[in-house]
Amino acid sequence: MSTVNIEPLLLHCRRGNSRYRSASKLFKLSSLSAFPNKVELHGRSFCNFKPPRALTLRAASADTAVVATSDSKPFFKETFPLNRTEMVEGKIFVRLDHGKSARNWVLTVGCTLPGKWILHWGVSLVDDVGSEWDQPPDEMRPPGSIPIKDYAIETPLKKSSSSVGGDTSQEVKIDLNLDGAIAAINFVLKDEETGAWYQHRGRDFKVPLVGYLQEDGNVVGAKKGLGIFPGAVGKLSDMLHKAESSNSQEQDSGSESRETKPETRSLEGFYEELPIVKQIAVVNSVTVSVRKCPETAKNLLYLETDLPDHVVVHWGVCKDDAKRWEIPAAPHPPETLVFKDKALRTRLQQKEGGNGCWGLFTLEEGPAGFLFVFKLSESTWLKCMGNDFYIPLSSSNKSPAVPRVDQSEGAQSEGANVPDRSAEEIEETSFTEYTNGIINEIRTLVSGISSEKRRKTKSKEAQESILQEIEKLAAEAYSIFRSTVPTFTEEAILESEELLPSVKILSGTGTGFEILCQGFNWESHKSGRWYMELKDKAAELSSLGFTVIWFPPPTDSVSPEGYMPRDLYNLNSRYGTVDELKEAVRAFHDVGIKVLGDAVLNHRCAQYQNQNGVWNIFGGRLNWDDRAVVADDPHFQGRGNKSSGDSFHAAPNIDHSQDFVRKDIKEWLCWLRQEIGYDGWRLDFVRGFWGGYVKDYMDASEPYFAVGEYWDSLSYTYGEMEHNQDAHRQRIIDWINATSGAAGAFDVTTKGILHAALERCEYWRLSDQKGKPPGVVGWWPSRAVTFIENHDTGSTQGHWRFPNGKEIQGYAYTLTHPGTPAVFYDHIFSHYRSEIAGLISLRNRNKINCRSTVKITKAERDVYAAIIDERVAMKIGPGHYEPPNGPQRWSKSLEGRDYKVWEAA
């Protein structure tokens, strides 16, 4: 079996488990191989003590050695965590045994590694020719099994009462009845905590119950001589006879027909083991203490760790705050080597009993600090939160050992993962004070703007101007400091609780308290008077608590739905006339609801053909020629520049790098704002062009609220969604950032993860590796527009329909969490209406907004629970959860199928 490595699990242990073979134990330190196994302590090697004050080592316990000197107490002592990953080896075992009767067998599949394991399995039927799985009959399904669509079953492994190879294992047992027509059991093993799959030689595991399957490369147990169970012989013989008859017709008439008969022999039991390797996270620790030698005034630094086996310490000293690595004066501990005249390497000694290592260092007076990192192998280093450990060597400097930004040249040239060194370093305590100072200033400023006194002395325009600058600076800071995974979140930019919803923070982002209604579906154009139908529902939607409504595309269009726009200034569409559109917008304004126009900026359908018969010449007020079309769209032969995004192949993709194109689009958007009264935009297919152009358009049109549709595929393996969707989320965040935060985006990541969590009963997916909501809402909530369905995914198109019957669970999530929630028109005017209304009312009552805080309290297989702003607690899923009563008491407010919501009393 080919072994598979997966991402580290959230599995923490104090020290390596001796039951598992650690890959870290396999490396060899060739440069230190000549070192003796034990250390001999000589006075001259550490501190020249004078009798009777000789330095001695004594064992405080079986695991701990301490340095004992009379009248000497440590002036520094601290314990630090050591986070590392370790490869552990185990095995998957498959066993087939006789059951209670001759026709009954039991298939056992298990694993010896820790984790939450799921057996994803199905059956192959005798008369099936292809490789498709089928669900097994009900009587074969172990307790706790969950059907996956119509082709598989998922069964959790449970702790085994027996041991395999001395290890406590997990396993699942499947009862087989040989009177059926099942040819094979197919399965893969899935780690529920990470979503990783374990296969056999890159394919499904297959346990054949018929002989003709034994030649497959992914078969388990074939060498045991599996035969054909009695109930399958007739069907299999018929199938092979038909196949042979067909082949014989193609042979020469003189050739003899070869009769193929399946070998019939009884089913035999077997036991087979296959290796498996898994990467886990391990937390060790190191304790460092420093004391003065009373006789010599030298510093005695004692270091001990529970890291397994002998460990090498890469170390040096520094003279001042520059923290440049230097080699200290001799004597040095035994088993010490000089590394390139920049640092020292000392192999630690194993503690009695083998549970960890220790080292003793004698240091002359003068150096300000002791610097070190652990070297486990040529490519594996352990540091303090990613940087060097720093230990003060003076009792007057008792600052803790904290991460350092600067590092000396001491180990720069060895290995890709050698600690980097630089000449400038800021202690984390100073860094924390610095950042906290800035954050407090921002909070004070925002609180001051919102205070009653300031509201009396400052104009609304001044308040808005200051808040806009804060958000712009936040977006700029994010742009500078972000990496492949965002390192900046909005938790550092908080409005005070007194911030009024009427204060607009930044053009395009609203107040933060918006609730969006999508005001149409895929069939709405068919009425011919949709604007008037919406107008009649304005008061009703306002009473439900909606503050923003999204109207369909208004322009003349080749497609009746409006998404193939042609003449942008012609607003007579299948939804109604331009006058009806204005009337509907006014009706919503009268009830306090803002209106978003659906702006299709990526592509535009041409009215005329060029000399080659290609449709790339536009008419109407914006009579562009083929320079407005991108050059790399082969269907439309544009003469513009290359596209800055993905192509929309059904219509000419517009080249937004052209000055005349941007000028015309900005004028058009401003005209729509003034002429129609739109308050903002829903931007279609923004994957097609750079977000920087969107910023230009937003700056010109100054919308109240804007949201882009950045929709691409999530990550899937084996047809199932992967647990880690950080890359998908990052692409959306990158687009938002390209707009400088001037527009939000639909949180497609969250929708996709909700699909998998609710459909497969895998609610653990709703917490990422950092314990945050895994979608955009967990990282940039004020720019995340959460939704579960829209005109594309649901309605009559159904491109990506939300799990049937789970819609209210989805809304229980989006309407209680930060971000700006959007509700689909079809769901509002359905049997879900009252429950959606209740959730909206609860959101408004508790002032949940796009920047509310989320504390995930439970994310397990069958339940997800969270507390929002310490005011609302919620859970979705069939599992049990009750919020803990602490400073606040909780009272249940809403309850429905697999969801509950509580409010703080």
Side-chain angles (χ1 to χ4, degrees):
M1 172 185 173
S2 300
T3 57
V4 181
N5 297 341
I6 63 175
E7 293 295 321
L9 303 177
L10 298 178
L11 175 64
H12 302 285
C13 55
R14 188 62 180 170
R15 54 172 60 89
N17 194 326
S18 60
R19 295 181 300 173
Y20 308 119
R21 184 184 175 193
S22 170
S24 65
K25 297 180 180 181
L26 304 180
F27 80 92
K28 295 182 180 179
L29 298 174
S30 57
S31 61
L32 302 176
S33 59
F35 289 163
N37 292 328
K38 295 184 179 180
V39 112
E40 295 181 5
L41 300 179
H42 302 283
R44 59 184 178 85
S45 298
F46 293 93
C47 179
N48 293 323
F49 292 104
K50 296 180 181 179
R53 296 185 181 272
L55 175 65
T56 61
L57 289 178
R58 60 181 174 84
S61 69
D63 292 337
T64 307
V66 298
V67 180
T69 61
S70 61
D71 302 325
S72 178
K73 295 182 180 180
F75 61 81
F76 177 91
K77 185 173 182 179
E78 195 160 344
T79 299
F80 307 98
L82 297 172
N83 299 315
R84 63 190 181 93
T85 59
E86 185 175 86
M87 301 303 299
V88 295
E89 298 177 5
K91 49 185 172 282
I92 295 173
F93 59 91
V94 185
R95 184 172 60 242
L96 187 65
D97 299 309
H98 273 293
K100 298 179 180 178
S101 66
R103 292 184 177 273
N104 289 106
W105 291 77
V106 178
L107 176 67
T108 303
V109 180
C111 180
T112 63
L113 288 180
K116 292 184 178 180
W117 297 101
I118 300 291
L119 189 71
H120 182 92
W121 65 286
V123 301
S124 296
L125 302 178
V126 170
D127 51 2
D128 283 345
V129 179
S131 59
E132 295 295 325
W133 292 15
D134 287 290
Q135 286 186 343
D138 292 342
E139 60 270 16
M140 281 182 61
R141 304 179 187 185
S145 297
I146 296 176
I148 305 301
K149 297 183 179 178
D150 59 353
Y151 67 89
I153 293 292
E154 285 198 346
T155 306
L157 274 65
K158 297 182 179 180
K159 186 173 293 185
S160 172
S161 58
S162 61
S163 296
V164 178
D167 296 322
T168 301
S169 58
Q170 300 175 63
E171 64 183 23
V172 62
K173 295 181 181 292
I174 301 172
D175 290 325
L176 307 178
N177 188 338
L178 300 190
D179 291 333
I182 298 175
I185 306 295
N186 309 292
F187 69 89
V188 291
L189 204 59
K190 176 183 174 185
D191 187 342
E192 185 181 12
E193 293 173 327
T194 65
W197 301 84
Y198 287 83
Q199 302 171 277
H200 184 29
R201 299 170 182 168
R203 301 168 61 191
D204 306 339
F205 289 87
K206 183 184 290 291
V207 179
L209 303 178
V210 294
Y212 70 93
L213 293 176
Q214 294 186 32
E215 301 303 320
D216 288 357
N218 58 335
V219 160
V220 181
K223 295 181 180 179
K224 298 297 181 180
L226 293 178
I228 304 170
F229 56 81
V233 174
K235 293 183 179 180
L236 181 60
S237 299
D238 292 342
M239 183 175 66
L240 293 175
H241 178 70
K242 291 178 181 178
E244 181 202 349
S245 299
S246 175
N247 292 334
S248 64
Q249 294 176 3
E250 301 175 3
Q251 297 174 352
D252 295 337
S253 58
S255 62
E256 294 184 359
S257 174
R258 294 189 301 271
E259 183 178 359
T260 302
K261 294 182 179 180
E263 181 184 358
T264 59
R265 57 183 188 271
S266 60
L267 189 64
E268 297 180 12
F270 69 88
Y271 175 79
E272 187 167 339
E273 294 180 353
L274 304 107
I276 183 174
V277 176
K278 177 177 174 180
Q279 191 178 52
I280 64 171
V282 181
V283 178
N284 294 104
S285 67
V286 58
T287 299
V288 183
S289 62
V290 186
R291 68 184 72 214
K292 286 287 185 182
C293 174
E295 297 296 328
T296 65
K298 294 182 179 180
N299 289 310
L300 302 178
L301 186 144
Y302 177 68
L303 179 153
E304 68 173 340
T305 175
D306 60 351
L307 288 169
D309 296 337
H310 296 287
V311 178
V312 171
V313 176
H314 184 95
W315 65 282
V317 296
C318 59
K319 292 183 178 180
D320 51 38
D321 291 338
K323 308 300 186 297
R324 295 183 62 86
W325 284 57
E326 296 183 7
I327 294 179
H332 301 144
E335 303 197 37
T336 296
L337 295 177
V338 177
F339 177 74
K340 298 185 178 180
D341 296 326
K342 300 292 184 180
L344 298 174
R345 288 183 174 174
T346 299
R347 188 174 186 176
L348 296 182
Q349 305 303 307
Q350 193 166 10
K351 292 196 289 185
E352 184 178 350
N355 294 321
C357 310
W358 63 272
L360 183 63
F361 304 82
T362 301
L363 304 166
E364 299 285 346
E365 284 192 304
F370 179 87
L371 303 168
F372 74 94
V373 293
F374 287 113
K375 182 174 183 289
L376 300 186
S377 69
E378 293 304 316
S379 61
T380 305
W381 300 76
L382 291 182
K383 300 180 282 184
C384 180
M385 297 173 63
N387 297 277
D388 301 345
F389 287 91
Y390 170 77
I391 307 298
L393 295 179
S394 170
S395 58
S396 61
N397 179 15
K398 295 185 179 181
S399 60
V402 295
R404 299 289 162 180
V405 177
D406 74 301
Q407 296 171 354
S408 77
E409 304 170 359
Q412 284 184 348
S413 59
E414 178 177 311
N417 295 325
V418 174
D420 296 329
R421 313 283 187 239
S422 66
E424 298 179 358
E425 180 167 84
I426 302 174
E427 294 184 4
E428 187 174 16
T429 50
S430 300
F431 174 78
T432 302
E433 292 173 359
Y434 172 73
T435 54
N436 285 344
I438 293 177
I439 293 169
N440 288 334
E441 288 180 13
I442 294 174
R443 287 174 174 165
T444 301
L445 179 61
V446 175
S447 298
I449 292 171
S450 303
S451 68
E452 184 66 27
K453 180 179 180 180
R454 290 299 181 92
R455 283 200 296 270
K456 292 178 180 178
T457 59
K458 297 292 182 181
S459 67
K460 178 181 177 182
E461 291 75 15
Q463 296 174 32
E464 291 183 2
S465 176
I466 295 171
L467 289 172
Q468 286 179 18
E469 289 304 313
I470 291 174
E471 290 256 8
K472 289 178 180 178
L473 288 172
E476 184 177 343
Y478 175 82
S479 176
I480 295 172
F481 293 109
R482 72 176 180 85
S483 58
T484 54
V485 174
T487 57
F488 177 81
T489 69
E490 290 195 18
E491 293 174 357
I493 304 176
L494 303 174
E495 288 84 20
S496 70
E497 292 185 0
E498 293 78 19
L499 183 62
L500 298 178
S502 59
V503 177
K504 185 171 67 176
I505 295 173
L506 176 66
S507 178
T509 63
T511 66
F513 293 85
E514 283 69 31
I515 301 176
L516 172 64
C517 164
Q518 179 176 3
F520 62 99
N521 61 31
W522 193 247
E523 303 296 321
S524 297
H525 67 278
K526 292 183 177 179
S527 71
R529 55 183 308 275
W530 186 250
Y531 294 141
M532 293 297 95
E533 294 183 30
L534 275 183
K535 172 194 169 186
D536 294 340
K537 290 182 169 60
E540 185 178 0
L541 291 171
S542 177
S543 68
L544 290 173
F546 289 101
T547 62
V548 182
I549 187 168
W550 158 21
F551 271 33
T555 58
D556 165 55
S557 171
V558 171
S559 64
E561 297 82 13
Y563 288 101
M564 299 284 280
R566 186 166 43 197
D567 184 354
L568 298 186
Y569 278 90
N570 181 357
L571 302 186
N572 293 309
S573 71
R574 299 290 182 89
Y575 297 103
T577 66
V578 62
D579 291 332
E580 290 172 338
L581 172 59
K582 292 179 181 179
E583 190 175 345
V585 170
R586 284 195 299 269
F588 279 95
H589 285 170
D590 289 343
V591 296
I593 295 180
K594 306 288 186 181
V595 180
L596 305 185
D598 201 326
V600 184
L601 305 181
N602 174 76
H603 51 274
R604 182 185 171 195
C605 293
Q607 282 95 324
Y608 308 105
Q609 296 169 290
N610 68 1
Q611 64 273 19
N612 299 324
V614 177
W615 293 87
N616 60 13
I617 307 299
F618 304 92
R621 182 169 167 179
L622 301 183
N623 54 348
W624 301 333
D625 59 19
D626 53 4
R627 293 174 301 158
V629 180
V630 296
D632 50 353
D633 187 346
H635 299 91
F636 299 102
Q637 299 179 8
R639 291 192 297 123
N641 298 309
K642 289 186 176 181
S643 176
S644 58
D646 297 332
S647 290
F648 181 84
H649 297 295
N653 287 255
I654 300 304
D655 179 12
H656 293 265
S657 70
Q658 301 283 11
D659 291 339
F660 73 89
V661 168
R662 292 200 309 280
K663 175 178 177 295
D664 286 348
I665 289 178
K666 286 186 284 187
E667 288 180 356
W668 176 64
L669 291 173
C670 292
W671 176 78
L672 288 174
R673 289 270 278 136
Q674 182 176 2
E675 183 72 16
I676 306 302
Y678 283 132
D679 301 287
W681 316 114
R682 180 267 183 183
L683 303 171
D684 183 68
F685 199 77
V686 295
R687 272 174 48 205
F689 56 104
W690 177 48
Y693 299 133
V694 172
K695 181 185 184 303
D696 199 13
Y697 301 144
M698 297 304 100
D699 288 345
S701 61
E702 296 184 337
Y704 169 86
F705 191 88
V707 54
E709 180 209 27
Y710 194 100
W711 180 9
D712 66 353
S713 296
L714 283 81
S715 300
Y716 291 83
T717 297
Y718 225 28
E720 303 297 339
M721 186 179 294
E722 294 178 2
H723 178 215
N724 188 325
Q725 296 294 338
D726 291 357
H728 184 271
R729 176 185 65 197
Q730 186 64 45
R731 290 193 293 274
I732 300 176
I733 288 178
D734 285 344
W735 179 85
I736 300 171
N737 188 60
T739 74
S740 296
F746 288 107
D747 194 349
V748 181
T749 313
T750 290
K751 173 177 167 63
I753 293 172
L754 280 170
H755 272 245
L758 275 60
E759 186 176 44
R760 300 168 56 83
C761 198
E762 295 176 343
Y763 291 83
W764 48 265
R765 291 180 178 272
L766 293 171
S767 177
D768 69 7
Q769 294 179 348
K770 295 183 180 295
K772 292 174 173 285
V776 179
V777 72
W779 289 90
W780 207 341
S782 73
R783 303 302 187 272
V785 176
T786 54
F787 72 109
I788 70 168
E789 208 79 289
N790 62 29
H791 62 288
D792 285 320
T793 65
S795 190
T796 55
Q797 284 206 97
H799 287 327
W800 194 25
R801 200 178 300 280
F802 203 75
N804 186 37
K806 307 294 179 73
E807 288 86 355
I808 294 299
Q809 282 192 67
Y811 284 123
Y813 182 92
T814 61
L815 287 169
T816 60
H817 278 56
T820 299
V823 182
F824 185 39
Y825 183 90
D826 290 7
H827 292 160
I828 300 168
F829 296 98
S830 73
H831 61 285
Y832 297 134
R833 174 194 174 102
S834 61
E835 290 178 286
I836 291 174
L839 288 165
I840 292 175
S841 176
L842 179 140
R843 182 182 183 90
N844 289 330
R845 187 164 62 246
N846 289 278
K847 299 181 180 180
I848 298 175
N849 58 80
C850 70
R851 295 172 180 82
S852 291
T853 60
V854 177
K855 178 183 178 183
I856 297 175
T857 56
K858 205 168 188 179
E860 298 178 357
R861 179 174 177 81
D862 60 352
V863 64
Y864 166 87
I867 296 176
I868 300 90
D869 284 346
E870 300 297 329
R871 298 173 183 168
V872 172
M874 58 80 67
K875 80 96 179 177
I876 55 175
H880 175 75
Y881 173 78
E882 294 286 336
N885 283 319
Q888 71 271 68
R889 308 288 293 181
W890 297 99
S891 60
K892 185 171 65 178
S893 295
L894 298 171
E895 181 177 7
R897 181 180 177 185
D898 291 338
Y899 79 92
K900 287 184 183 179
V901 186
W902 298 261
E903 292 179 84

